[in-house]
């Protein structure tokens, strides 16, 4: 499944059990985020473990953070769900906000990494 907008993309790759969220999510309210939530839920139903890759997600507004919170609450309903978030420690909002999701689902695994750099020539 793929959801795209002018400056954002959500794409589920079932072969690797990962949903990639990229770009700048500035949608207005929970209703505009519904297609994104549907993609997250489809990925959750199709993969265990499921990785949510946020490495290239530069911005997520408060409605988007609310959607991630609702998604995590949905995921924790199943005790056997393994949920992993790959996050970019160089993106300030991620390092500040994502740790709160572990309060909702203590088994949530957060993997913070630095942005990949281009090797010098």
């Amino acid at each position: 499944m793929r959801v795209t907008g002018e400056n954002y993309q959500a794409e589920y790759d079932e072969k690797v059990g990962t949903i990639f969220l990229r770009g700048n999510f500035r949608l207005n309210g929970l209703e505009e985020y519904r297609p994104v939530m549907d993609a997250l839920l489809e990925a959750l139903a199709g993969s265990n473990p499921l990785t949510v890759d946020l490495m290239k997600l530069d911005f997520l507004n408060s409605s988007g953070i609310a959607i991630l919170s609702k998604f995590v609450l949905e995921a924790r309903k199943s005790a056997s769900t393994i949920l992993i978030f790959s996050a970019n420690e160089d993106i300030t909002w991620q390092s500040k906000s994502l740790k709160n999701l572990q309060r909702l689902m203590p088994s949530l695994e957060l993997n913070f990494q630095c942005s990949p750099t281009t090797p010098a020539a």
Side-chain angles (χ1 to χ4, degrees), residues 81-120:
T81 297
I82 299 170
L83 189 57
I84 303 158
F85 276 64
S86 290
N88 189 333
E89 67 183 27
D90 296 330
I91 299 174
T92 305
W93 76 265
Q94 290 187 19
S95 60
K96 289 183 177 182
S97 299
L98 294 177
K99 291 179 182 173
N100 291 327
L101 296 178
Q102 283 184 314
R103 292 185 182 136
L104 300 175
M105 184 179 183
S107 65
L108 173 69
E109 185 178 327
L110 287 176
N111 293 330
F112 283 97
Q113 303 167 30
C114 293
S115 295
T117 58
T118 306

Side-chain angles (χ1 to χ4, degrees), residues 18-30:
T18 301
I19 186 160
F20 298 89
L21 302 180
R22 301 178 184 112
N24 295 291
F25 282 80
R26 298 177 188 269
L27 303 174
N28 294 317
L30 301 179

Side-chain angles (χ1 to χ4, degrees), residues 58-77:
D58 297 318
F59 181 81
L60 187 67
N61 64 8
S62 59
S63 294
I65 292 171
I67 285 294
L68 281 185
S69 298
K70 288 178 180 249
F71 170 68
V72 168
L73 289 172
E74 190 64 32
R76 83 172 183 186
K77 288 181 181 178

